[in-house]
Amino acid sequence: MKNHGLETLEVYQAARRFRIKMYALSRRLPNVERFNLAPQIRDAARSLTNNIAEGHGRFHYQESTRFLRISRGSLEELVDDLSISLDEQYIESTEHQTLCSEAASVARLINGYIRFLQKRKTEHPIGDG
């Protein structure tokens, strides 16, 4: 079953790639983080893509943008988790920089999609998406 074009959205594709990388990082963390940082990373990474999907499925501009904002908040949590991983020396500085750069790219896509939806709402104020 196709997800109404969800998987064709550039923002979803980029977030999904980032989620995969964050899951991989969570599996590499030391055992001391098994019940702390690792599940936090997985939860936030899952929330990143889940909220893009949920917003996309709402077919209403205002609800869609609300879920995209939640997704953006989850992305910011992941950036903080990357900082923790760097501070605790779980990852190298180069990996931190690479992943933070990718997170910034995902954030730009989320922000762009929010702007697109807001513009569509202005152009079609009565329609539901």
Side-chain angles (χ1 to χ4, degrees):
M1 174 177 138
K2 286 198 174 185
N3 218 353
H4 305 290
L6 171 66
E7 292 187 358
T8 66
L9 291 177
E10 183 180 2
V11 65
Y12 178 77
Q13 293 171 1
R16 187 175 173 189
R17 286 189 300 270
F18 188 68
R19 184 196 69 216
I20 290 167
K21 290 176 183 176
M22 295 304 294
Y23 260 71
L25 170 61
S26 76
R27 287 189 296 272
R28 293 188 346 245
L29 293 174
N31 283 339
V32 69
E33 295 295 354
R34 184 175 175 195
F35 299 109
N36 295 309
L37 186 57
Q40 169 59 32
I41 288 173
R42 288 189 302 271
D43 289 348
R46 191 171 46 252
S47 176
L48 170 65
T49 54
N50 281 173
N51 279 292
I52 292 170
E54 187 159 356
H56 185 264
R58 293 299 175 125
F59 298 111
H60 187 272
Y61 299 120
Q62 192 168 352
E63 286 187 355
S64 294
T65 57
R66 181 172 68 90
F67 282 101
L68 286 165
R69 288 182 179 116
I70 294 168
S71 181
R72 188 173 56 196
S74 296
L75 182 62
E76 290 300 317
E77 285 182 52
L78 289 166
V79 170
D80 184 54
D81 293 338
L82 287 169
S83 294
I84 292 168
S85 297
L86 178 66
D87 294 346
E88 296 300 316
Q89 301 176 347
Y90 301 149
I91 61 173
E92 298 290 329
S93 176
T94 54
E95 183 177 13
H96 177 263
Q97 291 171 354
T98 299
L99 289 171
C100 284
S101 177
E102 189 168 342
S105 177
V106 172
R108 282 190 295 275
L109 289 169
I110 291 171
N111 290 334
Y113 194 40
I114 290 170
R115 282 191 302 277
F116 168 78
L117 291 173
Q118 290 172 334
K119 183 179 178 197
R120 291 281 311 247
K121 180 181 178 187
T122 302
E123 293 171 353
H124 305 88
I126 297 175
D128 262 0

